[in-house]
């Protein structure tokens, strides 16, 4: 009986999975039908649309169809592969699988699984849709949006009385990254990729303008104008690599769960300048001075990146092990190391 029941499930699954023209129910109304009942609950349903099909049905041998399935059960696992598709290289893809365990029999076609439970007085059938298998390798694109500051060599951020002290709001860090992810084991990944990062350091004291001095970058106080904005910006082409643990994937919870990642990055500077926005004293309208201060910025940046996420929200932080300015060319000879906090989208 179980063999006939499996055959019916296969026919129903094939009809559901491979029907064309959108989503259909498991059974479609037809003009005529032939129902063959056997045993206590066994049933074969044959749908016929026209007279020609009915004539062909007369020579159909149901026993031969069942026998030709030639089902072979794996005694060790209880798994039974019914249909496979192979290529010329000898590789095959499983299409239909049957799993038998006691009174339960499960038939899988693609991501659809039908489970038949015969443990009670009546046969119960339930349908489940399995999750799409996670690929071992994938590529993706993300965007970093954060705020910049820098730490002094002795520790701590520059105080407000320093002309190069950074204002958090407006000191944006924007990164565009093309990434790839290789799954090393369940919930453990190696991510790597290339990106472009834009550093902006907006100064808290807008009366000071960063200019190119003879011995390094200088900050001059502009008393002749009313300043609105003063900042230094730089852009870097950056390569990064991260080792990531995804506890949600590890515990079969999908995107739900804690994610942590850390790894190094290396960048090469492709641009750098200062910008000062002001208005003439007693006048109207804004003016902008854009100066090339990039010659004093380090051409190379390298450091450590860390990420922590919960669900679909991921925070990141980067810390440059190198100085923002070339050795001895920073403001007042200061050694400043950029640090960033933000979100990954």
């Amino acid at each position: 009986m179980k063999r006939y029941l499996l055959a019916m499930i296969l026919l129903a699954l094939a009809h559901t999975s491979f029907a064309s023209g959108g989503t259909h129910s498991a059974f479609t109304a037809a003009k005529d039908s032939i129902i063959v009942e056997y045993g206590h609950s066994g049933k074969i349903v044959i749908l016929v649309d026209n007279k020609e099909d009915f004539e062909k049905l007369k020579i159909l041998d149901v026993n031969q169809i069942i026998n030709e399935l030639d089902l072979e059960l794996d005694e060790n696992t209880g798994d039974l592969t019914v249909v496979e598709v192979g290529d010329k290289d000898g590789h095959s893809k499983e299409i239909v699988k049957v799993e038998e365990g006691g009174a339960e029999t499960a038939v899988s076609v693609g991501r659809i699984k039908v489970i038949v439970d015969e443990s009670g007085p009546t046969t119960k059938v339930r349908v489940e849709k399995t999750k799409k298998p996670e690929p071992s390798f994938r590529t993706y694109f993300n965007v970093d949006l954060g705020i910049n500051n820098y730490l002094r060599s002795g520790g701590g951020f520059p105080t407000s009385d320093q002309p190069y002290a950074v204002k958090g709001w407006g000191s944006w860090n924007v990164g565009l990254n093309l990434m790839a992810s290789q799954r090393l084991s369940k919930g453990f990944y190696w991510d790597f990729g290339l990106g472009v990062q834009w550093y902006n350091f907006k100064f808290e004291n807008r009366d000071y303008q960063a200019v190119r001095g003879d011995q390094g970058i200088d900050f001059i106080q502009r008393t002749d104008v009313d300043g609105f904005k003063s900042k230094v910006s730089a852009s870097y082409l950056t390569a990064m690599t991260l080792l990531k643990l995804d506890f949600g994937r590890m515990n079969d919870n999908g995107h739900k769960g804690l994610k942590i990642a850390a790894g190094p990055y290396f960048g090469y500077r492709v641009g750098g300048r200062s910008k000062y926005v002001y208005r003439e004293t007693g006048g109207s309208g804004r003016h902008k001075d854009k100066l090339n201060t990039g010659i004093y910025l380090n051409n190379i940046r390298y450091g450590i990146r860390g990420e922590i996420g919960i669900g679909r929200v991921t925070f990141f932080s980067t810390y440059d092990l190198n100085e923002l300015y070339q050795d001895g060319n920073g403001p007042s000879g200061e050694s400043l190391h950029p640090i960033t906090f933000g979100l990954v989208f």
Side-chain angles (χ1 to χ4, degrees), residues 276-294:
Y276 188 69
V277 182
Y278 62 94
R279 183 176 62 192
E280 298 287 349
T281 303
S284 61
R286 296 190 178 189
H287 305 274
K288 298 178 183 179
D289 286 348
K290 297 179 181 179
L291 304 176
N292 178 19
T293 55

Side-chain angles (χ1 to χ4, degrees), residues 243-256:
L243 289 176
K244 180 167 67 177
L245 280 174
D246 189 332
F247 293 99
R249 296 282 188 185
M250 195 176 295
N251 298 321
D252 297 321
N253 291 325
H255 293 288
K256 300 177 181 178

Side-chain angles (χ1 to χ4, degrees), residues 187-258:
F188 185 38
Y189 305 87
W190 174 37
D191 289 9
F192 52 93
L194 290 172
V196 180
Q197 277 71 41
W198 286 270
Y199 274 7
N200 289 280
F201 297 92
K202 185 178 181 181
F203 303 119
E204 191 172 330
N205 194 332
R206 60 190 183 185
D207 291 333
Y208 284 87
Q209 181 181 9
V211 297
R212 177 176 158 182
D214 294 333
Q215 302 297 322
I217 189 167
D218 290 333
F219 285 81
I220 59 173
Q221 187 172 16
R222 296 291 301 271
T223 57
D224 56 324
V225 295
D226 294 327
F228 285 98
K229 182 191 299 183
S230 181
K231 71 173 187 176
V232 166
S233 61
S235 54
Y236 290 84
L237 180 65
T238 305
M240 69 181 77
T241 180
L242 298 164
L243 289 176
K244 180 167 67 177
L245 280 174
D246 189 332
F247 293 99
R249 296 282 188 185
M250 195 176 295
N251 298 321
D252 297 321
N253 291 325
H255 293 288
K256 300 177 181 178
L258 178 68

